[in-house]
Amino acid sequence: MESLRERKKQRTREALLRTALELFTTEGYERTTVDDIAEAVDVSQRTFFRYFAGKEEAALALMEVTVAHFLQSVRERPPHEAPMEALRQAVLEGWDTLNDVIEAIAPVELYLRMCRVVESTPALLAAHLRRSAEVEETLAAVLAEREGVDLDTDPRPRLAVAVFGGVMRLTERQWSVGEDFSLDAMRALTVSYLEQVGPALSESWRTH
Amino acid sequence: MESLRERKKQRTREALLRTALELFTTEGYERTTVDDIAEAVDVSQRTFFRYFAGKEEAALALMEVTVAHFLQSVRERPPHEAPMEALRQAVLEGWDTLNDVIEAIAPVELYLRMCRVVESTPALLAAHLRRSAEVEETLAAVLAEREGVDLDTDPRPRLAVAVFGGVMRLTERQWSVGEDFSLDAMRALTVSYLEQVGPALSESWRTH
DNA sequence: TGTCAATTGTCAGTGGCTGTCACTAGCCTC
DNA sequence: GAGGCTAGTGACAGCCACTGACAATTGACA
């Protein structure tokens, strides 16, 4: 059983996050000041920074949840799957179960809108890409362990993850600029792109 | 022939850039304030911001030159080369001729040191990755044109570039954390990684 | 030389973020 | 249930990146 203190803290954090996301998606990230958020929640600006390391962290909080969810999916993949297949299955399975995970925090619709904001806000996109790079490193370690190879001497884990990450980021981006913001559309794009990686690297694209 | 004004402006910009890079590499990016740079060059802080959109822009100025150099190399590749081969040749050729391009602005050694700073400074790394994403978009357009395919309907250009970009960023990173900071080492890594992409994506890595 | 325009300095202000310190409110013990 | 302890908070001061506005300076050019 949680203490009153814990619950209060939790409520403050949720209020801050929800308000922040709401403002970011309606007013825009840059046009929303931390003071705006704090004022709307009726706490001091200082308190905001006690819950979030910065404005960015609040904006990317939902992405962080999906990342954790995806990483978990990868770790749970049966060890007999080949590396790329495990990653592929993990994302696909991830999209299936993501709905519930997100909904526990905020409406999925808010998540989708926030994705677009991230993609269209330079500062947020930069932070997101940096975070993605960190995730790739983690992922490489997971693959290395799965396959029993040494991360320091064998470049294949990092290579596979770099390729995979590149394709996934392209997927994210294309999805966010498209018109269908459903998770289904995301899954369709994922499958389509992953299937086309091989052909795209082939000798020539010209259909002479 | 350039006017006195032009030359003065050029000199101011060079002084600001050189001083900034020097301070970034010796004192660290975050510990160097814009005021420090401006004071060292003996101009007002405001003037710094008239030459650079921000602290980051100064820090990434050399990277920007190499990016432009690389893009140029790609555009000059003979049209009969397959997409990935053109990219590959462009980087390799790029490393060969990069020395002269950089040296015209700052000592190559400063460039190398700055690369490490970028890789180890979160804010700079984020900005660098964002810029890389932009470059990939440009590159995709170049490839689409070369191959005569439509960027909007054919995902292959962006896919190829995403994969290539992923591998190149991995190369950059591994090079910057390694101990051999020569351009030769960079080229060797490039070749090695590009060669291993195929195998890394293969079914299994286990040498059962 | 005097006028025009580009470049710069100065100043004031905004916004993200941090350190400090006093205060309040939940918690725990006696 | 009174008192002490401590986590959480607000208030304030301050740093730094960055911007707008305006005045001062300096090269360009008639």
Side-chain angles (χ1 to χ4, degrees):
Chain A
M1 173 74 225
E2 285 173 331
S3 69
L4 173 59
R5 239 186 219 165
E6 299 282 320
R7 272 176 287 147
K8 264 193 152 177
K9 252 196 347 182
Q10 202 57 30
R11 253 183 289 137
T12 305
R13 197 195 137 87
E14 276 169 24
L16 279 171
L17 185 53
R18 218 142 14 87
T19 307
L21 295 178
E22 196 56 46
L23 288 175
F24 290 159
T25 51
T26 55
E27 310 292 321
Y29 176 75
E30 333 223 55
R31 273 187 303 280
T32 304
T33 70
V34 175
D35 286 314
D36 291 339
I37 302 167
E39 194 180 351
V41 181
D42 204 50
V43 295
S44 72
Q45 189 218 44
R46 195 66 183 84
T47 293
F48 174 90
F49 287 109
R50 288 199 175 98
Y51 283 93
F52 301 97
K55 218 175 132 182
E56 286 174 2
E57 190 176 298
L60 298 177
L62 289 184
M63 316 288 251
E64 194 51 42
V65 171
T66 78
V67 160
H69 180 62
F70 167 61
L71 278 176
Q72 190 54 31
S73 295
V74 173
R75 285 191 240 259
E76 287 170 358
R77 281 278 106 198
H80 62 79
E81 281 177 339
M84 291 300 280
E85 183 57 19
L87 293 180
R88 188 190 131 101
Q89 293 298 337
V91 240
L92 293 179
E93 185 196 286
W95 294 129
D96 285 336
T97 52
L98 189 59
N99 211 300
D100 304 334
V101 181
I102 296 281
E103 201 74 36
I105 303 173
V108 176
E109 185 247 347
L110 193 56
Y111 170 71
L112 304 182
R113 270 192 289 148
M114 201 58 219
C115 284
R116 296 197 82 186
V117 173
V118 170
E119 212 75 29
S120 62
T121 307
L124 284 184
L125 180 57
H128 177 57
L129 292 175
R130 191 175 63 72
R131 177 64 186 137
S132 301
E134 286 174 18
V135 172
E136 283 184 24
E137 182 61 18
T138 305
L139 221 42
V142 172
L143 286 196
E145 166 134 33
R146 267 177 72 99
E147 301 296 309
V149 302
D150 182 12
L151 197 54
D152 292 328
T153 58
D154 193 335
R156 288 178 301 177
R158 290 204 177 93
L159 269 174
V161 167
V163 170
F164 187 81
V167 177
M168 289 315 300
R169 253 170 288 119
L170 174 59
T171 309
E172 278 177 11
R173 194 168 135 264
Q174 290 303 102
W175 170 72
S176 81
V177 299
E179 58 287 317
D180 187 353
F181 297 132
S182 65
L183 289 180
D184 279 347
M186 184 82 204
R187 184 167 35 245
L189 260 187
T190 305
V191 173
S192 160
Y193 283 174
L194 283 177
E195 271 172 1
Q196 290 185 72
V197 176
L201 301 183
S202 75
E203 284 302 309
S204 170
W205 302 337
R206 296 169 195 163
T207 58
H208 43 97
Chain B
M1 173 77 224
E2 286 172 330
S3 68
L4 171 59
R5 232 178 220 171
E6 298 283 321
R7 273 176 287 146
K8 262 193 154 179
K9 256 199 339 185
Q10 202 58 31
R11 253 185 290 137
T12 305
R13 198 196 136 86
E14 275 169 24
L16 279 171
L17 185 53
R18 218 143 13 90
T19 306
L21 295 178
E22 196 57 45
L23 288 174
F24 290 159
T25 51
T26 55
E27 309 292 321
Y29 176 74
E30 331 224 58
R31 275 187 302 279
T32 304
T33 69
V34 174
D35 285 313
D36 291 338
I37 303 167
E39 193 180 350
V41 181
D42 203 52
V43 295
S44 72
Q45 189 219 45
R46 195 66 183 84
T47 294
F48 174 91
F49 287 109
R50 289 201 173 98
Y51 283 93
F52 300 98
K55 218 175 131 180
E56 286 175 2
E57 190 176 299
L60 299 176
L62 288 185
M63 316 287 250
E64 194 52 42
V65 170
T66 79
V67 159
H69 180 62
F70 167 60
L71 278 176
Q72 190 55 30
S73 294
V74 173
R75 284 192 240 259
E76 287 170 355
R77 283 278 108 199
H80 62 80
E81 280 177 337
M84 291 300 281
E85 184 56 19
L87 293 180
R88 188 189 131 99
Q89 293 299 337
V91 240
L92 293 180
E93 185 196 284
W95 293 129
D96 285 336
T97 51
L98 189 57
N99 211 301
D100 304 334
V101 180
I102 296 280
E103 200 75 35
I105 303 172
V108 176
E109 186 247 347
L110 192 57
Y111 170 71
L112 303 182
R113 272 192 288 147
M114 201 57 218
C115 284
R116 296 197 83 184
V117 173
V118 170
E119 212 76 28
S120 61
T121 307
L124 282 184
L125 180 56
H128 177 58
L129 291 175
R130 191 174 64 72
R131 177 63 186 137
S132 301
E134 288 174 17
V135 172
E136 284 185 22
E137 183 60 18
T138 305
L139 221 43
V142 172
L143 286 197
E145 166 134 33
R146 265 178 74 97
E147 300 296 309
V149 301
D150 182 12
L151 197 53
D152 293 327
T153 58
D154 193 335
R156 290 178 300 177
R158 289 203 177 93
L159 269 174
V161 167
V163 170
F164 187 81
V167 176
M168 288 316 299
R169 252 172 287 118
L170 173 60
T171 309
E172 278 178 12
R173 194 168 133 266
Q174 291 303 103
W175 170 74
S176 81
V177 299
E179 59 288 316
D180 187 352
F181 297 132
S182 64
L183 289 180
D184 278 346
M186 183 83 206
R187 183 167 35 244
L189 261 185
T190 305
V191 172
S192 161
Y193 284 174
L194 283 177
E195 269 173 2
Q196 290 184 72
V197 176
L201 302 183
S202 74
E203 285 301 308
S204 169
W205 303 336
R206 297 169 195 163
T207 57
H208 48 94

